[in-house]
Amino acid sequence: MKNPLILDIKGNSQDDGPGIRSVVFFKGCPLDCVWCHNPESKRVECEISFDANLCVDCGHCREVCPEKAVSKDNPFYVDRDICNLCGLCVKECPSGALDMAGKALGVDEIVKKVIRDKPFFDASKGGVTLSGGEPTLFTEFLGELLKRLKQEGVSTLLETCGLFAWEKFEKLALPWLDAIYFDIKIFDPALHRLHCGTENQVILENFGRLATAGKNSNLSLLPRTPLVPGITDTRQNLESIAGFLQKNGQKKAALLPYNPLWPDKCSKTGQACRVEGDLAMKKWMSREHISQCESVFTERKIELV
Ligand code: SF4
Ligand code: SF4
């Protein structure tokens, strides 16, 4: 079993599930959402990230790069097509502006890092959240990790885009999960393909299966929809999702308010922002608009949490 790349392990989180949690961010995702808030988590492979705000222009990286991949003339600073990931520039960078995004970690290493906070998990009814990227891209590894966490008495939560092979997931990962936050972003298959890079049939099927599984177990399942201007926040999309949740017997859901700070993150790993010039994408949503979105769910007696 090959170890996946982990982008980060964030301790003391209070935003990714109940209580105090440690969040493990996997690298790699089967979707390609236009508004991805963690663009560095999309590719499965390791890559160089560059934060222009931290750079002090000492020039060390340009001097040491054996491939001449670093240049101030490059709008993304590093030419990822010729970079051989040797890591010399990262080592020489005094300010932390350059970093290697993604480190291969084994189950033991991850458990060792997160278990230090077990007293906080226990005191706050928290635990460990597996996020990404998409952890189910590595179902065997995910299953092993979840099993170990449960053996250590740690509560487990998975954040997923829902695109996974059900049989494998049901056998290897589901038995060790206490909670799942399941994203349903766009209901229309063609629009889902347009904005997220794939169709959503498997995602909706998997949600239905988990809703059924949740009725016969203690699994806590929370559907979540990120609000993205003009893409997911349309009345038609929200009504379709709310209707689908009703059909599947869901009484609770979450709407994730839009955060316009993501476009700046794209350039760190050399990705062009695909909504450049879209002003709505650069603004916070008004409270009034969020309330209108929420009413679509509450009118259907779906409680928003
Ligand atoms: S990782 Fe190596 S090849 Fe890539 S930019 Fe840095 S020094 Fe150059
Ligand atoms: S080594 Fe770091 S701080 Fe110096 S120029 Fe390169 S990125 Fe900037």
CSV table of all heavy atoms in Angstrom, one decimal, residues 47-48 60-71 77-80 82-91 98-100, ligand 1:
chain,number,residue,atom,x,y,z
A,47,GLU,N,4.3,19.0,-5.5
A,47,GLU,CA,4.7,20.2,-6.4
A,47,GLU,C,5.2,21.3,-5.5
A,47,GLU,O,5.1,21.4,-4.3
A,47,GLU,CB,3.4,20.7,-7.1
A,47,GLU,CG,2.2,21.0,-6.3
A,47,GLU,CD,0.9,21.1,-7.1
A,47,GLU,OE1,0.9,21.6,-8.2
A,47,GLU,OE2,-0.1,20.7,-6.5
A,48,ILE,N,5.9,22.2,-6.2
A,48,ILE,CA,6.5,23.4,-5.5
A,48,ILE,C,5.4,24.5,-5.4
A,48,ILE,O,4.7,24.8,-6.3
A,48,ILE,CB,7.7,23.9,-6.4
A,48,ILE,CG1,8.9,23.0,-6.3
A,48,ILE,CG2,8.1,25.3,-5.9
A,48,ILE,CD1,9.6,23.0,-5.0
A,60,HIS,N,18.5,33.4,-3.8
A,60,HIS,CA,19.1,32.1,-3.6
A,60,HIS,C,18.5,31.0,-4.4
A,60,HIS,O,19.2,30.2,-4.9
A,60,HIS,CB,19.0,31.7,-2.1
A,60,HIS,CG,19.8,32.7,-1.2
A,60,HIS,ND1,19.7,32.6,0.2
A,60,HIS,CD2,20.7,33.6,-1.4
A,60,HIS,CE1,20.5,33.5,0.7
A,60,HIS,NE2,21.1,34.2,-0.3
A,61,CYS,N,17.2,31.1,-4.5
A,61,CYS,CA,16.5,30.0,-5.3
A,61,CYS,C,16.9,30.0,-6.8
A,61,CYS,O,17.2,28.9,-7.4
A,61,CYS,CB,15.0,30.1,-5.2
A,61,CYS,SG,14.4,31.8,-5.6
A,62,ARG,N,17.0,31.2,-7.3
A,62,ARG,CA,17.4,31.3,-8.7
A,62,ARG,C,18.8,30.8,-8.9
A,62,ARG,O,19.2,30.2,-10.0
A,62,ARG,CB,17.2,32.7,-9.2
A,62,ARG,CG,15.8,33.2,-9.1
A,62,ARG,CD,15.5,34.5,-9.7
A,62,ARG,NE,16.1,35.7,-9.1
A,62,ARG,CZ,15.6,36.4,-8.1
A,62,ARG,NH1,14.4,36.0,-7.6
A,62,ARG,NH2,16.2,37.4,-7.6
A,63,GLU,N,19.7,31.0,-7.9
A,63,GLU,CA,21.1,30.6,-8.1
A,63,GLU,C,21.3,29.1,-8.0
A,63,GLU,O,22.0,28.5,-8.7
A,63,GLU,CB,21.9,31.2,-6.9
A,63,GLU,CG,22.2,32.7,-7.1
A,63,GLU,CD,22.6,33.4,-5.8
A,63,GLU,OE1,23.1,32.7,-4.9
A,63,GLU,OE2,22.4,34.6,-5.7
A,64,VAL,N,20.5,28.5,-7.1
A,64,VAL,CA,20.7,27.0,-6.9
A,64,VAL,C,19.9,26.1,-7.8
A,64,VAL,O,20.3,24.9,-8.0
A,64,VAL,CB,20.4,26.6,-5.4
A,64,VAL,CG1,21.3,27.3,-4.4
A,64,VAL,CG2,18.9,26.8,-5.1
A,65,CYS,N,18.9,26.6,-8.5
A,65,CYS,CA,18.1,25.7,-9.3
A,65,CYS,C,18.9,25.1,-10.4
A,65,CYS,O,19.3,25.8,-11.3
A,65,CYS,CB,16.9,26.5,-9.8
A,65,CYS,SG,15.8,25.4,-10.8
A,66,PRO,N,19.0,23.8,-10.5
A,66,PRO,CA,19.8,23.2,-11.5
A,66,PRO,C,19.1,23.2,-12.9
A,66,PRO,O,19.8,23.0,-13.9
A,66,PRO,CB,20.0,21.7,-11.0
A,66,PRO,CG,18.8,21.5,-10.1
A,66,PRO,CD,18.5,22.8,-9.5
A,67,GLU,N,17.8,23.4,-12.9
A,67,GLU,CA,17.0,23.3,-14.1
A,67,GLU,C,16.7,24.7,-14.7
A,67,GLU,O,16.0,24.9,-15.7
A,67,GLU,CB,15.7,22.6,-13.9
A,67,GLU,CG,15.9,21.2,-13.3
A,67,GLU,CD,16.5,20.2,-14.3
A,67,GLU,OE1,16.6,20.6,-15.5
A,67,GLU,OE2,17.0,19.2,-13.8
A,68,LYS,N,17.2,25.7,-14.0
A,68,LYS,CA,16.8,27.1,-14.3
A,68,LYS,C,15.3,27.3,-14.4
A,68,LYS,O,14.8,27.9,-15.4
A,68,LYS,CB,17.5,27.6,-15.6
A,68,LYS,CG,19.0,27.4,-15.6
A,68,LYS,CD,19.6,28.6,-14.9
A,68,LYS,CE,21.1,28.5,-14.7
A,68,LYS,NZ,21.6,28.1,-13.4
A,69,ALA,N,14.6,26.7,-13.5
A,69,ALA,CA,13.1,26.7,-13.5
A,69,ALA,C,12.6,27.9,-12.8
A,69,ALA,O,11.4,28.2,-12.9
A,69,ALA,CB,12.6,25.4,-12.9
A,70,VAL,N,13.4,28.7,-12.0
A,70,VAL,CA,12.9,29.8,-11.2
A,70,VAL,C,13.3,31.1,-11.9
A,70,VAL,O,14.4,31.3,-12.3
A,70,VAL,CB,13.5,29.8,-9.8
A,70,VAL,CG1,12.9,30.8,-8.9
A,70,VAL,CG2,13.5,28.4,-9.2
A,71,SER,N,12.3,31.9,-12.1
A,71,SER,CA,12.5,33.2,-12.8
A,71,SER,C,11.5,34.2,-12.4
A,71,SER,O,10.3,34.0,-12.4
A,71,SER,CB,12.5,32.9,-14.4
A,71,SER,OG,12.4,34.2,-15.0
A,77,TYR,N,6.4,32.3,-11.2
A,77,TYR,CA,7.7,32.2,-10.6
A,77,TYR,C,8.5,30.9,-10.9
A,77,TYR,O,9.7,31.0,-11.1
A,77,TYR,CB,7.7,32.5,-9.1
A,77,TYR,CG,9.0,32.9,-8.5
A,77,TYR,CD1,9.7,34.0,-9.0
A,77,TYR,CD2,9.6,32.2,-7.4
A,77,TYR,CE1,10.9,34.4,-8.5
A,77,TYR,CE2,10.8,32.6,-6.9
A,77,TYR,CZ,11.5,33.7,-7.4
A,77,TYR,OH,12.7,34.0,-6.9
A,78,VAL,N,7.8,29.8,-10.8
A,78,VAL,CA,8.5,28.5,-11.0
A,78,VAL,C,7.9,27.8,-12.3
A,78,VAL,O,6.7,27.7,-12.4
A,78,VAL,CB,8.4,27.5,-9.8
A,78,VAL,CG1,9.0,26.2,-10.1
A,78,VAL,CG2,9.0,28.2,-8.6
A,79,ASP,N,8.7,27.4,-13.2
A,79,ASP,CA,8.2,26.6,-14.3
A,79,ASP,C,8.1,25.1,-13.9
A,79,ASP,O,9.1,24.4,-13.9
A,79,ASP,CB,9.2,26.8,-15.5
A,79,ASP,CG,8.7,26.1,-16.8
A,79,ASP,OD1,7.8,25.2,-16.6
A,79,ASP,OD2,9.1,26.5,-17.9
A,80,ARG,N,6.8,24.8,-13.6
A,80,ARG,CA,6.6,23.4,-13.1
A,80,ARG,C,6.8,22.3,-14.2
A,80,ARG,O,7.0,21.2,-13.8
A,80,ARG,CB,5.2,23.2,-12.5
A,80,ARG,CG,5.0,23.7,-11.1
A,80,ARG,CD,4.6,25.1,-11.0
A,80,ARG,NE,4.5,25.5,-9.6
A,80,ARG,CZ,4.5,26.8,-9.2
A,80,ARG,NH1,4.6,27.8,-10.1
A,80,ARG,NH2,4.4,27.2,-8.0
A,82,ILE,N,9.5,22.1,-16.0
A,82,ILE,CA,10.9,21.7,-16.0
A,82,ILE,C,11.4,21.4,-14.6
A,82,ILE,O,12.5,20.9,-14.5
A,82,ILE,CB,11.8,22.6,-16.8
A,82,ILE,CG1,11.7,24.1,-16.3
A,82,ILE,CG2,11.5,22.6,-18.3
A,82,ILE,CD1,12.7,25.0,-16.9
A,83,CYS,N,10.7,21.8,-13.6
A,83,CYS,CA,11.2,21.6,-12.2
A,83,CYS,C,11.3,20.1,-12.0
A,83,CYS,O,10.3,19.3,-12.3
A,83,CYS,CB,10.2,22.2,-11.3
A,83,CYS,SG,10.3,21.7,-9.6
A,84,ASN,N,12.4,19.6,-11.4
A,84,ASN,CA,12.5,18.2,-11.2
A,84,ASN,C,12.3,17.8,-9.7
A,84,ASN,O,12.6,16.7,-9.3
A,84,ASN,CB,13.9,17.7,-11.6
A,84,ASN,CG,15.0,18.3,-10.7
A,84,ASN,OD1,14.7,18.9,-9.7
A,84,ASN,ND2,16.3,18.3,-11.2
A,85,LEU,N,11.7,18.8,-8.9
A,85,LEU,CA,11.3,18.6,-7.5
A,85,LEU,C,12.5,18.2,-6.7
A,85,LEU,O,12.4,17.4,-5.7
A,85,LEU,CB,10.2,17.5,-7.4
A,85,LEU,CG,8.9,17.9,-8.1
A,85,LEU,CD1,7.9,16.7,-8.1
A,85,LEU,CD2,8.2,19.1,-7.4
A,86,CYS,N,13.7,18.7,-7.0
A,86,CYS,CA,14.9,18.3,-6.2
A,86,CYS,C,14.8,19.0,-4.8
A,86,CYS,O,15.5,18.5,-3.9
A,86,CYS,CB,16.2,18.8,-6.9
A,86,CYS,SG,16.4,20.6,-7.0
A,87,GLY,N,14.1,20.1,-4.6
A,87,GLY,CA,13.9,20.7,-3.3
A,87,GLY,C,15.0,21.6,-2.9
A,87,GLY,O,15.0,22.2,-1.8
A,88,LEU,N,16.0,21.8,-3.8
A,88,LEU,CA,17.2,22.7,-3.4
A,88,LEU,C,16.7,24.1,-3.1
A,88,LEU,O,17.1,24.8,-2.1
A,88,LEU,CB,18.2,22.7,-4.5
A,88,LEU,CG,19.1,21.5,-4.6
A,88,LEU,CD1,20.0,21.6,-5.9
A,88,LEU,CD2,20.0,21.4,-3.4
A,89,CYS,N,15.8,24.6,-3.9
A,89,CYS,CA,15.3,26.0,-3.7
A,89,CYS,C,14.6,26.1,-2.4
A,89,CYS,O,14.7,27.1,-1.7
A,89,CYS,CB,14.4,26.4,-4.8
A,89,CYS,SG,13.0,25.4,-5.1
A,90,VAL,N,13.8,25.1,-2.0
A,90,VAL,CA,13.1,25.1,-0.7
A,90,VAL,C,14.1,25.2,0.4
A,90,VAL,O,13.9,26.0,1.4
A,90,VAL,CB,12.2,23.9,-0.6
A,90,VAL,CG1,11.5,23.9,0.8
A,90,VAL,CG2,11.1,23.9,-1.7
A,91,LYS,N,15.1,24.4,0.3
A,91,LYS,CA,16.1,24.3,1.4
A,91,LYS,C,16.9,25.7,1.5
A,91,LYS,O,17.2,26.1,2.6
A,91,LYS,CB,17.2,23.2,1.0
A,91,LYS,CG,17.7,22.5,2.1
A,91,LYS,CD,18.3,21.2,1.6
A,91,LYS,CE,19.7,21.1,2.2
A,91,LYS,NZ,20.5,20.1,1.5
A,98,LEU,N,9.1,29.5,-0.5
A,98,LEU,CA,9.0,28.3,-1.3
A,98,LEU,C,8.8,27.1,-0.4
A,98,LEU,O,9.4,27.0,0.7
A,98,LEU,CB,10.3,28.1,-2.1
A,98,LEU,CG,10.5,29.0,-3.3
A,98,LEU,CD1,11.9,29.1,-3.7
A,98,LEU,CD2,9.6,28.5,-4.5
A,99,ASP,N,7.9,26.2,-0.9
A,99,ASP,CA,7.7,25.0,-0.1
A,99,ASP,C,7.4,23.8,-1.0
A,99,ASP,O,7.0,24.0,-2.2
A,99,ASP,CB,6.5,25.3,0.8
A,99,ASP,CG,6.4,24.3,2.0
A,99,ASP,OD1,7.3,23.5,2.2
A,99,ASP,OD2,5.4,24.3,2.7
A,100,MET,N,7.5,22.6,-0.5
A,100,MET,CA,7.2,21.4,-1.2
A,100,MET,C,5.8,21.0,-0.8
A,100,MET,O,5.6,20.7,0.4
A,100,MET,CB,8.2,20.3,-0.9
A,100,MET,CG,8.2,19.2,-1.9
A,100,MET,SD,8.9,19.6,-3.5
A,100,MET,CE,10.6,19.5,-3.2
B,1,SF4,S1,12.7,22.0,-6.8
B,1,SF4,FE1,14.7,22.0,-7.7
B,1,SF4,S2,14.3,22.0,-9.9
B,1,SF4,FE2,12.4,22.7,-8.9
B,1,SF4,S3,12.5,24.9,-8.9
B,1,SF4,FE3,13.4,24.1,-6.9
B,1,SF4,S4,15.6,24.0,-7.3
B,1,SF4,FE4,14.6,24.1,-9.3
